């Protein structure tokens, strides 16, 4: 299994898999299959995938421990960057196709509609994570500081769920489901952190 995760082919395959939602949108656009309201479909699909990739990125750490597959960590940067990629497509769809790049209308939306404000906030919190995702930035910041900064992904995911929840008109089932998944991931993280703390306190006591 280790060989499979480390293979360049697996990486390429996963890269292509993550690209499918984007290729699917292009194919549907080319074949006039985006319903009577293509802008709405593109906005919804890109927003959905941005949030899904954020949650997938957060799920990698627990999955590698549960499945005992530490090599899975290799894909965390890729899924995180895909979340940012779909988030940028989502923003571009709204700004360009929906608002026609009318900056004053966009600004009015940002300050008057709380769900748009939250969407902007979500993408802004993802920006430093995408920029500092390279090995060069890990070196520059030092691993501890880099790790601390990248915990902000929980804030991005929470803001993304709130943005979705505030944006839906009636059926809140999906944003609530995403919220529950995020709560589970946070609970897992919290439990592990507590276990680490208890362990290091025990070993400190043993050393005394
Ligand atoms: C950059 C600023 C953003 C703007 C201006 C924005 C705007 C929008 C708009 C106009 C909608 C459609 C709402 C409707 O039709 O009722 C929407 C839906 C959505 N957005 Fe955003 N958004 C932003 C950022 C984000 C980010 C960063 C994420 C995810 C991480 C996200 C996730 C979603 C989701 C999941 C939906 C619902 C899709 C669905 O109903 O299937 N948005 N957003």
């Amino acid at each position: 299994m280790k060989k499979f995760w480390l293979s360049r082919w697996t990486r390429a395959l996963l890269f292509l898999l993550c690209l499918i939602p984007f290729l699917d949108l292009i194919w549907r656009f080319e074949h006039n299959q985006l319903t009577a309201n293509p802008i709405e479909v593109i906005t919804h699909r890109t927003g959905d995938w941005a949030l899904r990739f954020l949650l997938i990125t957060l799920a990698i750490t627990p999955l590698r421990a549960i499945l005992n597959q530490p090599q899975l960590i290799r894909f965390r940067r890729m899924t995180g960057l895909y979340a940012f990629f779909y988030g940028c497509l989502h923003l571009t769809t709204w700004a360009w196709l929906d608002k026609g790049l009318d900056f004053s209308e966009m600004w009015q939306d940002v300050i008057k509609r709380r769900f748009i404000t939250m969407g902007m906030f979500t993408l802004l919190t993802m920006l430093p994570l995408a920029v500092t995702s390279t090995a060069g930035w890990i070196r520059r910041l030092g691993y501890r500081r880099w790790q601390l900064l990248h915990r902000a992904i929980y804030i991005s995911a929470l803001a993304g769920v709130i943005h979705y929840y505030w944006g839906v008109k009636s059926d809140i089932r999906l944003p609530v489901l995403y919220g529950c998944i995020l709560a589970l991931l946070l609970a897992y993280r919290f439990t592990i952190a507590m276990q680490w703390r208890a362990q290091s306190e025990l070993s400190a006591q043993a050393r005394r």
Side-chain angles (χ1 to χ4, degrees), residues 40 43-45 47-48 50-51 54 83 87 90-91 94 98 113 115-116 119-120 122-123 126 156 160 163-164 167-169 178:
E40 191 180 80
T43 309
H44 285 205
R45 295 258 173 115
D48 278 339
L51 189 54
L54 270 182
H90 185 63
L91 170 66
W94 173 77
D98 196 11
R113 299 173 74 192
F115 104 92
I116 297 285
M120 276 298 171
T122 310
L123 198 66
M126 291 162 75
S156 312
H163 163 68
Y164 190 1
V168 290
K169 271 114 203 162
Y178 288 147

Side-chain angles (χ1 to χ4, degrees), residues 69-147:
Q69 299 293 327
Q71 297 81 13
L72 281 177
I73 199 73
R74 284 165 50 83
F75 307 108
R76 202 169 53 175
R77 176 167 181 253
M78 188 199 292
T79 55
L81 285 176
Y82 263 112
F84 187 65
F85 169 67
Y86 283 105
C88 289
L89 282 181
H90 185 63
L91 170 66
T92 310
T93 312
W94 173 77
W96 187 21
L97 303 182
D98 196 11
K99 300 289 163 193
L101 293 180
D102 181 334
F103 288 99
S104 93
E105 199 189 326
M106 274 154 45
W107 179 243
Q108 286 307 310
D109 248 13
V110 172
I111 56 173
K112 285 201 180 130
R113 299 173 74 192
R114 63 175 186 171
F115 104 92
I116 297 285
T117 319
M118 192 53 83
M120 276 298 171
F121 173 75
T122 310
L123 198 66
L124 283 178
T125 59
M126 291 162 75
L127 178 66
L129 306 186
V131 172
T132 60
S133 67
T134 58
W137 271 102
I138 301 180
R139 236 179 298 116
R140 234 166 285 161
L141 291 173
Y143 186 67
R144 283 299 303 162
R145 252 188 297 169
W146 181 87
Q147 204 183 27

Side-chain angles (χ1 to χ4, degrees), residues 31-46:
H31 294 83
N32 285 325
Q33 297 228 334
L34 285 176
T35 74
N37 193 343
I39 298 176
E40 191 180 80
V41 176
I42 301 172
T43 309
H44 285 205
R45 295 258 173 115
T46 49

